[in-house]
Amino acid sequence: MATLDTEEQAVVDTVREFVDKEVKPRVNELEHADTYPEAFIEQMKQMGIYGLAIPEPWGEAPVSMPCYALVTAELARGWMSLAGAMGGHTVVAKLLVEFGTRAQQDRYLPRMATGELRATMALTEPGGGSDLQAMTTVARGSDDGGYVVNGAKTWISNARRSGLIALLCKTDPSAEPKHRGVSILLVEHGPGLEVSKDLSKLGYKGVETCELTFTDMAVPADALLGGQEGRGFAQMMKGLETGRIQVAARALGVATAAFEDALRYAQEREAFGKPIWQHQSVGNHLADMATKTTAARQLILHAAEKYDAGARADMEAGMAKLFASEIAMEVALDAVRVHGGYGYSTEYDVERYFRDAPLMIVGEGTNEIQRNVIASQLVKRGGLDRW
Ligand SMILES: Cc1cc2nc3c(=O)[nH]c(=O)nc-3n(C[C@H](O)[C@H](O)[C@H](O)COP(=O)(O)OP(=O)(O)OC[C@H]3O[C@@H](n4cnc5c(N)ncnc54)[C@H](O)[C@@H]3O)c2cc1C
């Protein structure tokens, strides 16, 4: 397992303390009122959470991917929505650091590092999110060398509060193969872009998820990420390695919270004259929950280390995301079981874990898509790495 250095461990410990002291006591009220966690976001800014992926000269030293994953898991242990409020932001920061022109980096990264400017990414369309190459949002070249964007995106998280949107679109709709016609535009709110609808959701409360409509939106030429058309698909696939480790870590946070609540409750609650954990079926639930959660954590750290080593990590990120999200759902359901009737009550947190867990199964590429990625990489790489 990855061991963090003292400085990075201190970052994780600070977030853990924030979650236990500030978030846990207030989360239920904010969740059920579906209130945007303005005060928590401010505290996250102060803690430097929005700058975790941004190096000098724009930010301070970025943390390692294992540290970033554990910070994400800690936030999600308190409230998955908080981890969701910084997930897309980090992917966009990584895209800018890795692929942006110097002018794009200078324009956005300093304000992103402090959280003054927040970012999201817009991939999914009403017609489909899995088959990204079939997207219909088009940026046509205009006379002034810029673009005119038309189309619609949906399920875009943090869309209202993000001042920067990494928009995946087609700059050449007739390109073959199709991915060669895909680019990323760095779009800011303005004429031609409407946040057309807020979507109502099962969980992931507090944070907005919206539909975006682009109608003849004029975008300048220098908004093209990296300054070259046709690179967007490959750029976004690299960005999604971070995104999938982030979503896996969110799932780990939810599973950890569900397990911790169940462990505590099973020692407090008595039935047939003894604490319920002593009934073998309940003890077995706890053992399975802890085993699955620990395995998920190891897979995430493995993917994070592979990412930091500079190697292609889409298979590892896919495995981590697939496993962690599936077990988060199972562990959340087991936490409901252990809590009996109270597990179904909105007074307890476990019903929230049960509503939040499915998002990680669907988001950042569904688990069916992760299996496709894993299978094709297994064939390409000739199997698993040797140990
Ligand atoms: C709360 C929430 C927040 C989100 N935030 C964002 C965001 O910020 N930005 C963003 O761009 N998107 C976001 N998404 C969208 C999310 O990434 C998509 O919902 C997801 O990628 C699936 O796309 P889809 O919903 O169009 O499903 P579809 O692509 O229509 O898929 C439907 C079903 O078919 C399966 N399927 C499709 N193709 C295949 C295949 N080749 N093999 C096997 N099975 C397949 C899928 O796995 C799924 O089970 C968010 C979604 C939610 C629910």
Side-chain angles (χ1 to χ4, degrees), residues 80 88 120-132 153-159 166 199 201 203-204 208-210 244 250 358-359 361-370 372:
M80 195 278 289
T120 189
M121 49 182 190
L123 287 64
T124 308
E125 299 194 349
S130 301
D131 186 4
L132 286 176
K153 295 284 172 181
T154 194
W155 290 113
I156 309 308
S157 300
N158 307 288
L199 301 166
K201 296 167 289 188
Y204 196 15
E208 79 277 14
T209 304
C210 308
R244 286 170 182 168
R250 280 197 238 176
L359 172 59
I361 287 175
V362 171
E364 221 81 2
T366 65
N367 281 358
E368 290 76 17
I369 295 299
Q370 304 309 316
N372 294 348

Side-chain angles (χ1 to χ4, degrees), residues 26 36 41 57 91 117 119 133 151 248 250 266 280 311 313 324 341 370 372 385:
R26 290 203 50 218
Y36 185 74
I41 299 291
V91 175
L117 175 71
Q133 295 189 37
R250 280 197 238 176
Q280 194 176 26
Q370 304 309 316
N372 294 348
D385 293 343

